[in-house]
Amino acid sequence: MTTQNPTSSARPLDAHGSERAGHLETRGIDLVPADERGGRPRQLFAVWAAPNVSYLSFVVGATLILMGLTLPQAVGVILVGNLLWICTGVVAASGPAAGTSGSVISRAMYGVVGNKVVLVLTGWLIAAAYLALNWSAASVAGIGLAGRSGLPDNSSVDAAVICVIAGGTLLIAIFGYATIVRLYTALSVLLTVVFVVVTGYVLAGTDWSYAPAEPLRGTALAAALGAGFTIVASTPLSYSNSPDLARYLPRGSSPVAIAGWTAFGAYLPSTVFTTVGALAATSLDMSDPEAALESILPGWFIPVFVIAVVVNTMTNNGMTAYSAGLSIQSVGVRLARIPAVLIIGVLGTAMTLYAILVFDFLTSVNTMLQLVVTVTGPAMAVAVTDLVLRRNRYNGADLLGQQRGGPFWYHRGVHWAGVLALVVGGLTSAMWVNTSFWTGPIAQALGNVDLAIPSGMIAAAASYWAMARALRSIPRT
């Protein structure tokens, strides 16, 4: 059973009845009452835009050119890969319907017990890995700024920079939903201004006639396009936590509006700034993205750019840490939301220290983004399929109930349709993935063409639909 938080009268509320920005959010995964809901779907635009006005987008865009793609090919991959933000938006619509977190809603897909196992992988380990990935990007820039400020170049300073960035991020997650909504609205504007200035300098030096020294053809081109699509699409697929940031909206909010504002808020900046990264790689050596971009910026603006990179990472990871803390509660660990956030933060910080002090940053980015889709792609496919099958009719009270014999207990606490669909999708995806760490046998046989995302998502969605129908585990509506 869930532990109920203090009554609404004990919380600092705004005019809409929602918890007030600047105060610690006291609610965990428990149901959001109707009188504490407020706002409109359009506020989700800024919530999703701020973390996606991103330095990491520059890195990903540059990677496409470094892989040997032409500029039109890279832009095509960026436009298509980012379309998967639609899935993030669709899943977000379940938040107001259920009035609880995505990590609780997924009990409908995997069962009360099965969901706990899935969350350890998707809600903890992968969340910690994404924290590390984004903190690594910010830390590379922050460490460079520390060096220009006269601080010594050693591991102790590097570790201190990482810990400061991680600490600031966790503060955002600790203050929670209301602060995220208010803060990100302002930061989305400020970050956009800074990154637009950087874009101006990139465009001034872009080689519009750029062509690879050895243009890719045949299977080599197909392999590069597949790998590029996987890298770009891995980001939207990682956000199956999108209901967490929509659950405070009124239950009657338009699902189409929720999906649209969420998807558009993320798609627009992701597409624009990933394209800018590709443009930068036509004239700059983006194997070291930070040094390359700083080489074209005026000296006075470099600290502004670095600070923007760090702040952007905090906004991105603030959302991730917030949802990961809710996932810890959903598994059944008897912790309040804030200690749960701190636990996932410590794990992510440790992984960041390893990535920066031991491993190569660019290699870490590409390998991780390609590998995690073997889990995140099928998980997103199962979530979207479940929402469609149920027509987004989720009952938060039933989802929060964990008693035997409840509507989401299924067979001994496991919804085998969801668990097996995730396994089938994951194994299928692994057969098609192509990374420096692992190349699946099917990808290898077809010239290293990476089709991990479409193969895994189609297999997972089809398996879930077929097994749920066969088991009659989802009521027909």
Side-chain angles (χ1 to χ4, degrees):
M1 299 293 292
T2 57
T3 301
Q4 297 298 316
N5 283 315
T7 61
S8 60
S9 61
R11 297 189 178 98
L13 307 178
D14 64 15
H16 298 291
S18 300
E19 296 200 37
R20 191 183 306 157
H23 291 79
L24 297 178
E25 182 183 356
T26 56
R27 170 169 286 107
I29 61 173
D30 50 314
L31 198 64
V32 183
D35 63 352
E36 292 188 28
R37 298 194 188 199
R40 297 181 179 180
R42 67 188 181 194
Q43 72 190 36
L44 294 171
F45 178 88
V47 169
W48 287 95
N52 286 290
V53 180
S54 173
Y55 168 70
L56 199 58
S57 294
F58 289 151
V59 175
V60 170
T63 296
L64 300 178
I65 298 298
L66 293 174
M67 290 167 59
L69 296 178
T70 65
L71 190 55
Q73 289 167 349
V75 172
V77 168
I78 293 166
L79 293 173
V80 175
N82 277 303
L83 285 176
L84 287 178
W85 282 111
I86 294 172
C87 293
T88 309
V90 169
V91 172
S94 64
T100 185
S101 69
S103 55
V104 172
I105 296 170
S106 55
R107 290 172 182 170
M109 302 151 214
Y110 305 111
V112 172
V113 176
N115 189 54
K116 295 180 180 182
V117 177
V118 172
L119 285 180
V120 169
L121 178 61
T122 62
W124 293 11
L125 296 180
I126 289 181
Y130 265 100
L131 288 175
L133 176 66
N134 286 293
W135 278 335
S136 295
S139 297
V140 168
I143 289 168
L145 182 61
R148 284 190 295 274
S149 301
L151 294 175
D153 181 11
N154 57 49
S155 297
S156 297
V157 172
D158 294 353
V161 170
I162 292 169
C163 291
V164 168
I165 293 172
T169 302
L170 295 179
L171 277 178
I172 295 174
I174 286 170
F175 275 90
Y177 171 82
T179 298
I180 288 174
V181 172
R182 181 68 61 83
L183 180 64
Y184 284 23
T185 299
L187 290 180
S188 63
V189 175
L190 295 175
L191 290 170
T192 298
V193 169
V194 174
F195 279 72
V196 165
V197 172
V198 176
T199 298
Y201 283 100
V202 169
L203 293 177
T206 297
D207 179 4
W208 297 99
S209 62
Y210 169 82
E214 297 182 10
L216 300 175
R217 294 183 175 84
T219 56
L221 175 58
L225 290 172
F229 174 81
T230 299
I231 292 171
V232 172
S234 64
T235 300
L237 291 179
S238 69
Y239 283 108
S240 58
N241 64 333
S242 54
D244 299 354
L245 297 163
R247 63 193 172 123
Y248 279 92
L249 294 175
R251 183 179 177 84
S253 299
S254 166
V256 174
I258 294 167
W261 285 114
T262 297
F264 186 53
Y267 181 89
L268 183 61
S270 294
T271 300
V272 169
F273 294 113
T274 307
T275 300
V276 172
L279 293 173
T282 64
S283 59
L284 301 173
D285 179 10
M286 290 290 283
S287 58
D288 185 348
E290 181 201 1
L293 292 173
E294 290 181 1
S295 70
I296 62 172
L297 298 175
W300 65 267
F301 189 74
I302 291 176
V304 177
F305 171 61
V306 172
I307 292 171
V309 169
V310 172
V311 170
N312 161 255
T313 300
M314 289 181 176
T315 63
N316 198 320
N317 276 358
M319 292 168 58
T320 302
Y322 175 77
S323 293
L326 296 174
S327 294
I328 290 177
Q329 289 187 317
S330 300
V331 169
V333 177
R334 294 185 176 276
L335 281 176
R337 188 186 65 82
I338 293 174
V341 166
L342 294 175
I343 287 175
I344 200 71
V346 169
L347 180 56
T349 302
M351 295 173 70
T352 307
L353 290 168
Y354 176 81
I356 291 295
L357 303 179
V358 179
F359 210 58
D360 173 69
F361 169 64
L362 202 57
T363 301
S364 301
V365 170
N366 294 338
T367 300
M368 181 191 153
L369 291 180
Q370 286 180 272
L371 278 177
V372 296
V373 298
T374 61
V375 176
T376 57
M380 182 67 81
V382 169
V384 172
T385 305
D386 187 82
L387 183 144
V388 171
L389 289 174
R390 297 179 192 274
R391 298 185 183 180
N392 198 30
R393 294 173 181 171
Y394 294 100
N395 186 304
D398 287 345
L399 287 162
L400 286 163
Q402 301 186 63
Q403 67 274 15
R404 293 176 181 271
F408 300 107
W409 187 255
Y410 298 111
H411 181 68
R412 297 181 179 179
V414 178
H415 188 203
W416 287 106
V419 172
L420 291 178
L422 186 61
V423 171
V424 169
L427 290 176
T428 302
S429 187
M431 296 299 101
W432 284 92
V433 75
N434 174 34
T435 73
S436 58
F437 178 79
W438 162 263
T439 299
I442 298 179
Q444 200 168 38
L446 296 178
N448 295 328
V449 176
D450 188 329
L451 293 176
I453 289 177
S455 64
M457 292 187 73
I458 291 171
S463 298
Y464 188 65
W465 183 88
M467 285 187 280
R469 287 303 189 207
L471 296 172
R472 297 182 180 179
S473 52
I474 297 179
R476 292 180 180 271
T477 55

